[in-house]
Amino acid sequence: MTIKIYNTVTRQKEEFIPLEEGKVKMYVCGPTVYNYIHIGNARPAIVFDTVRNYLKFSGYDVNFVSNFTDVDDKLIKAAKELGEDVPTIAERFINAYFEDVSALGCKKADKHPTVMENMDTIIDFVSALIEKGYAYESEGDVYFRTRKFDSYGKLSHQSIDELRIGSRIEVGDRKQDALDFALWKTAKEGEISWESPWGNGRPGWHIECSAMAKKYLGDTIDIHAGGQDLTFPHHENEIAQSEALTGRTFAKYWMHNGYINIDNEKMSKSLGNFVLVHDIIQHHDPQVLRFFMLSVHYRHPINYSEEVLEKTKAAFDRLKTSFQNLKHRLDSSTGLTDNDGLWLKKITDLHDEFTREMDDDFNTANAISVLFELSKQANYYLMENNTDQNVIEKFIKEFKTLTSVLGLTLEEEALLDEEIEVLIQQRIQARKDRNFKLSDDIRDRLKNVNIILEDTPQGTRWKRG
């Protein structure tokens, strides 16, 4: 079965046929680095990291580019509030981004370009649009002539007439038309700026991705992706800019992940439910957060809450326990049994089912269901009196293969002696506080890494199993 992708442009699933056989050019819009990333930023990072993983698993050579917006109004505002310059703030939160998404199991892109390092490329792009008549300068600003691009609205499925309703030119606006959008902005006093043919200024938001995608991946790319909130106007404007300049299709397939709600409400600073990844992973296993994000199909909305995350942890722990039980049983397994061929076929069938689900628009929710079925079959197998080492090794290998595609690991990290002592003290305190759930959780965690506890009159002792 070939991979099928839901294309936002056509609003249907299409067979994935890359521009060049065996190769994929993929661009994902990255964050604006003025603060730690919130949970909404984490979803595209996890989703499209998983898409990249599966494309590689399927044999493709993937060139993956994801940008950082390191110059914009939010960064300028943060710089004023903190009394620092924009580059310092951008660098700090780019590093913070890498720390957070690395904890979530996301690998770096092949290239993470920034606006600042590509200013000449952006200026050249804007100049070329002016030369072709698609853009114009107005008192130091540069705007794109939206109406001149005939297919504007094809991504968001809006017509120019629909967009015109409610649009108007504000007093003092330098646009020729209310629908025109900024490619270059004149610098205000005290703002960071760059020299350009139109005076000192900085790029508009939309132009950066068009310029960087073209520079690092070419005029036409295979997949362009990002959050659903970017469909309009950001991605719509990218298409207009890029295709106006090159006369070619900008991206063959457009992918967008769904929104995240917090406790069934839209995430918003005004509602006080703005959740940062940096804070979540201080209290929860980052792998559980990734597992949660992948437990719902990427195009569907997802609801985050502490209660849901606790249930997700319990589900993830069941997979980890099944995996650890296989490893514990490995050394005590005997020779072949009559049913081994049947068990090996079950594992192969589940592998094939996993790929069918992922081929269908990267359906990680159904793929995770296959993992639970693999866990169920492994548990059944371990109930047999005689188990074969080859079958157990096959179960273990399949768990590792399929979870690695999802960016997950079921391996327990080895704990240092000092870490074990800290956990034991936390367990002792939890028992004193009659917090038996926490006490049991700590005991189970230690058990999963082969740490055996013995509660004696002299205190709790431990040994490695």
Side-chain angles (χ1 to χ4, degrees), residues 310 423-444:
E310 284 298 323
L423 286 170
I424 288 174
Q425 291 305 313
Q426 290 176 352
R427 179 173 176 267
I428 292 171
Q429 186 61 49
R431 294 178 73 183
K432 287 180 181 179
D433 297 339
R434 302 185 66 79
N435 187 346
F436 299 118
K437 182 182 184 304
L438 178 58
S439 172
D440 291 344
D441 286 346
I442 294 172
R443 180 200 61 209
D444 292 343

Side-chain angles (χ1 to χ4, degrees), residues 50-250:
T50 304
V51 169
R52 186 232 328 238
N53 287 348
Y54 189 68
L55 289 170
K56 286 189 171 184
F57 172 80
S58 302
Y60 291 103
D61 177 12
V62 183
N63 187 358
F64 186 90
V65 176
S66 184
N67 72 300
F68 288 118
T69 297
D70 58 347
V71 180
D72 91 328
D73 292 337
K74 292 177 181 177
L75 275 147
I76 291 170
K77 180 181 178 182
K80 289 179 180 177
E81 291 174 349
L82 297 174
E84 299 180 295
D85 60 30
V86 169
T88 298
I89 292 172
E91 182 179 7
R92 179 190 309 145
F93 289 114
I94 285 174
N95 292 333
Y97 172 86
F98 284 133
E99 289 179 8
D100 287 345
V101 298
S102 176
L104 296 173
C106 299
K107 295 181 287 296
K108 284 188 175 182
D110 297 296
K111 181 68 179 177
H112 282 283
T114 68
V115 177
M116 289 191 198
E117 70 184 9
N118 284 283
M119 200 58 66
D120 289 344
T121 300
I122 293 169
I123 290 171
D124 289 345
F125 199 112
V126 175
S127 296
L129 284 172
I130 293 174
E131 289 176 12
K132 295 194 74 170
Y134 279 99
Y136 60 91
E137 185 268 342
S138 176
E139 299 179 42
D141 290 343
V142 179
Y143 294 96
F144 184 86
R145 287 191 170 95
T146 302
R147 293 181 193 277
K148 187 175 174 62
F149 185 70
D150 293 337
S151 57
Y152 190 84
K154 66 181 177 181
L155 180 68
S156 56
H157 296 264
Q158 302 178 83
S159 69
I160 284 287
D161 290 336
E162 290 171 331
L163 292 168
R164 185 175 56 191
I165 297 173
S167 298
R168 61 192 178 93
I169 298 179
E170 301 291 344
V171 175
D173 204 327
R174 298 165 181 171
K175 299 179 185 180
Q176 294 175 358
D177 189 299
L179 294 180
D180 296 347
F181 58 88
L183 303 176
W184 187 264
K185 298 179 178 181
T186 300
K188 297 176 183 176
E189 187 176 351
E191 286 186 352
I192 187 171
S193 64
W194 286 262
E195 291 184 3
S196 80
W198 322 287
N200 288 351
R202 57 188 171 87
W205 176 34
H206 314 299
I207 192 66
E208 64 184 74
C209 288
S210 287
M212 289 188 276
K214 184 179 188 299
K215 176 179 178 178
Y216 295 104
L217 295 174
D219 290 350
T220 303
I221 63 179
D222 294 293
I223 298 172
H224 196 312
Q228 185 179 337
D229 58 309
L230 299 181
T231 306
F232 183 87
H234 185 54
H235 287 165
E236 194 74 72
N237 290 351
E238 279 190 63
I239 290 174
Q241 296 161 164
S242 297
E243 296 187 2
L245 181 66
T246 67
R248 300 176 182 177
T249 299
F250 180 33

Side-chain angles (χ1 to χ4, degrees), residues 285 287 316-333 374-375 378-379 382 392 395-397 399-400 403 408-414 444-451 465:
D285 180 355
Q287 283 274 291
F316 190 53
D317 283 346
R318 291 201 301 274
L319 290 179
K320 291 171 74 173
T321 298
S322 180
F323 180 75
Q324 294 301 324
N325 287 342
L326 286 166
K327 293 183 71 176
H328 294 330
R329 189 71 169 269
L330 191 59
D331 293 335
S332 60
S333 296
L374 182 67
S375 171
N379 293 340
L382 293 178
I392 291 182
F395 267 117
I396 291 172
K397 181 180 178 182
F399 264 119
K400 289 182 176 180
T403 53
L408 300 166
T409 177
L410 303 178
E411 298 279 7
E412 292 285 357
E413 292 186 13
D444 292 343
R445 179 182 173 186
L446 292 170
K447 181 180 177 182
N448 285 337
V449 290
N450 292 328
I451 303 300

Side-chain angles (χ1 to χ4, degrees), residues 246-360:
T246 67
R248 300 176 182 177
T249 299
F250 180 33
K252 284 190 69 177
Y253 306 91
W254 285 87
M255 298 179 67
H256 294 92
N257 63 271
Y259 291 108
I260 289 185
N261 293 323
I262 308 295
D263 293 319
N264 294 309
E265 289 188 301
K266 183 178 179 180
M267 185 173 64
S268 167
K269 286 183 178 179
S270 62
L271 293 175
N273 63 355
F274 204 74
V275 184
L276 300 179
V277 173
H278 184 77
D279 294 333
I280 296 174
I281 62 179
Q282 303 302 313
H283 307 286
H284 298 283
D285 180 355
Q287 283 274 291
V288 172
L289 182 57
R290 184 179 183 109
F291 189 72
F292 160 72
M293 291 286 191
L294 298 177
S295 66
V296 174
H297 191 281
Y298 77 89
R299 286 191 285 112
H300 297 166
I302 189 169
N303 183 58
Y304 172 88
S305 71
E306 287 291 317
E307 181 183 359
V308 169
L309 206 60
E310 284 298 323
K311 290 180 180 178
T312 303
K313 178 183 182 302
F316 190 53
D317 283 346
R318 291 201 301 274
L319 290 179
K320 291 171 74 173
T321 298
S322 180
F323 180 75
Q324 294 301 324
N325 287 342
L326 286 166
K327 293 183 71 176
H328 294 330
R329 189 71 169 269
L330 191 59
D331 293 335
S332 60
S333 296
T334 58
L336 286 167
T337 67
D338 293 338
N339 293 327
D340 285 348
L342 178 62
W343 286 106
L344 291 171
K345 184 178 185 304
K346 286 183 178 180
I347 297 170
T348 299
D349 288 346
L350 288 171
H351 177 98
D352 294 342
E353 186 177 346
F354 179 93
T355 59
R356 281 196 298 274
E357 297 297 351
M358 290 297 287
D359 281 346
D360 185 15

Side-chain angles (χ1 to χ4, degrees), residues 376-404:
K376 177 181 174 182
Q377 295 302 323
N379 293 340
Y380 283 153
Y381 184 68
L382 293 178
M383 291 170 64
E384 296 199 349
N385 292 327
N386 294 318
T387 54
D388 174 36
Q389 186 174 9
N390 292 325
V391 176
I392 291 182
E393 285 178 345
K394 178 71 171 175
F395 267 117
I396 291 172
K397 181 180 178 182
E398 202 60 44
F399 264 119
K400 289 182 176 180
T401 298
L402 302 187
T403 53
S404 68

